[in-house]
Amino acid sequence: MIKRTKGVTISQVAEAAGVARSSVSRAFTRPDMLSPETVERIMKAAEAMGYVPNHTARALSTGRHGNIGLIVPDIANPFFPPMIQAAQLEADRSDFCIFLGNTEENPKQEDKLVGRFAGQVEGLVLASSRLSDERIRAHAGKLPLVLINRDLDGIPRVLIDSGSGVREAVEHLVKLGHRKIAYVSGPSTSWSNKQRRSAMRAAASGLGVAVETVPAVLPSYNSGRNAVGAILATGATAAVAFDDLTAQGVLAGLAEKSISVPLDFSVIGCDDVLGAVTYPALTSVSNRSMEAGRVAVFLLLDMLQSRAVRDVRYVLETHLVMRETTALQSKN
């Protein structure tokens, strides 16, 4: 028989630290209510005794679970893992855990996950949400919520302004002599896709060049590869893809047709998650996903602490990272 030892109790930690039981509880849930010296003394005693807070009991007595949710549209997309890691590190600083949800680009699945998470987390971060504005606002009315790459008034959001980098991309291509550029689009429900498409059109109009949009539906290697025929049919000599995965597929599709990059055709991606490892190395718009994940969790935890919703709109600028898929020669 294995003898199970009884865990260390909150009363034992309180006695060892010379404080009240309520102080031990606050040290793990609301350390801002205690002096730093008291928190440090309690934490040292808890660590020495091997005390682990009972989050289930805490949730039953206080309604606080110590968990927050993070929902992303595609966990396999290399844009999201750095965001998830940064979010977890920021949550861990306040002794919170993250429940991760993956929607597979399906708004119905996203809606389902938000509902399932609602009873187990104190707040949510929705990254690149595919839900309608109405559904997002409905969920935000029930649970503290922060958005990444979705711009809705009244809801705290962190926006990666890829528009600034996309404008640089168009200017770069025009300087190389390109007069018709294809934009290989992402999901129609994506805020980033709408932003990038608008930035492409505005920049092209101001510079007197044409932009043709080629739908790729899902941001994936196969979508980019399958879009090459449509890209070439537009007469474009360069393409800007919704993301690096799509751009990688475009590179493969061009190679299959014996079209040389960058000598015969220029390609630019967005998010810069694969730029350094493609061949040729991909010119791409910079990536701020790690910072977006960190800031979003910081805003959510601030909401949970203050119990107030502030209309925060945190914008992260981007820029063009030039590599080998854009030719340094005229296309005239």
Side-chain angles (χ1 to χ4, degrees):
M1 295 289 291
I2 299 175
K3 183 179 181 180
R4 300 187 183 275
T5 57
K6 190 174 181 180
V8 178
T9 67
I10 194 171
S11 297
Q12 291 171 320
V13 174
E15 182 179 355
V19 298
R21 291 179 77 257
S22 59
S23 294
V24 177
S25 177
R26 290 191 183 103
F28 284 96
T29 59
R30 293 293 304 274
D32 55 295
M33 297 179 67
L34 303 172
S35 69
E37 295 78 16
T38 300
V39 173
E40 183 179 6
R41 188 164 73 251
I42 292 170
M43 292 302 180
K44 284 183 177 179
E47 184 178 1
M49 300 174 72
Y51 173 72
V52 178
N54 186 331
H55 290 290
T56 301
R58 183 176 78 180
L60 290 172
S61 62
T62 68
R64 303 198 68 177
H65 299 268
N67 304 317
I68 58 177
L70 171 61
I71 297 178
V72 301
D74 183 5
I75 197 172
N77 188 318
F79 174 78
F80 291 106
M83 177 188 290
I84 295 166
Q85 182 184 39
Q88 179 61 71
L89 289 172
E90 184 65 27
D92 193 53
R93 291 177 55 197
S94 298
D95 195 32
F96 274 74
C97 291
I98 283 187
F99 286 6
L100 179 63
N102 178 41
T103 72
E104 299 288 350
E105 298 282 356
N106 186 338
K108 290 183 179 179
Q109 177 68 7
E110 184 175 354
D111 206 39
K112 176 182 176 181
L113 284 173
V114 172
R116 291 281 178 87
F117 280 10
Q120 305 176 69
V121 301
E122 296 179 42
L124 279 172
V125 175
L126 299 184
S128 302
S129 177
R130 306 312 190 209
L131 292 175
S132 67
D133 292 357
E134 293 73 21
R135 289 306 298 156
I136 291 175
R137 291 193 185 281
H139 289 307
K142 300 175 183 176
L143 195 69
L145 189 151
V146 174
L147 299 171
I148 297 176
N149 280 354
R150 190 65 178 268
D151 197 4
L152 284 182
D153 290 342
I155 299 178
R157 62 267 194 208
V158 181
L159 307 174
I160 302 175
D161 181 18
S162 53
S164 55
V166 167
R167 285 189 290 273
E168 285 185 38
V170 175
E171 291 168 359
H172 175 55
L173 292 173
V174 170
K175 287 179 181 177
L176 297 177
H178 296 283
R179 291 295 174 262
K180 180 172 279 190
I181 305 167
Y183 172 61
V184 189
S185 71
S188 60
T189 53
S190 164
W191 174 83
S192 294
N193 180 59
K194 295 172 184 176
Q195 184 200 41
R196 291 167 187 176
R197 187 177 60 217
S198 296
M200 284 278 298
R201 289 174 175 171
S205 176
L207 294 167
V209 297
V211 167
E212 293 280 349
T213 298
V214 175
V217 186
L218 293 176
S220 70
Y221 172 89
N222 284 333
S223 291
R225 184 179 172 211
N226 293 336
V228 167
I231 294 170
L232 296 176
T234 67
T237 57
V240 176
F242 169 73
D243 67 357
D244 280 10
L245 275 177
T246 305
Q248 185 184 38
V250 172
L251 289 175
L254 290 170
E256 289 170 358
K257 294 181 180 295
S258 300
I259 296 173
S260 176
V261 175
L263 294 179
D264 301 324
F265 201 94
S266 293
V267 178
I268 295 178
C270 288
D271 297 333
D272 198 24
V273 292
L274 296 174
V277 297
T278 62
Y279 183 80
L282 180 68
T283 297
S284 186
V285 174
S286 64
N287 175 7
R288 304 291 295 276
S289 67
M290 287 187 69
E291 190 171 354
R294 181 186 63 78
V295 173
V297 170
F298 176 83
L299 291 176
L300 181 59
L301 295 178
D302 183 63
M303 287 174 62
L304 294 176
Q305 186 175 37
S306 65
R307 296 295 173 184
V309 178
R310 295 182 292 123
D311 189 13
V312 178
R313 188 176 188 273
Y314 197 103
V315 179
L316 302 170
E317 297 291 331
T318 59
H319 64 276
L320 185 65
V321 181
M322 287 186 277
R323 296 192 180 91
E324 298 170 8
T325 57
T326 48
L328 298 176
Q329 62 181 40
S330 174
K331 289 291 174 185
N332 288 333

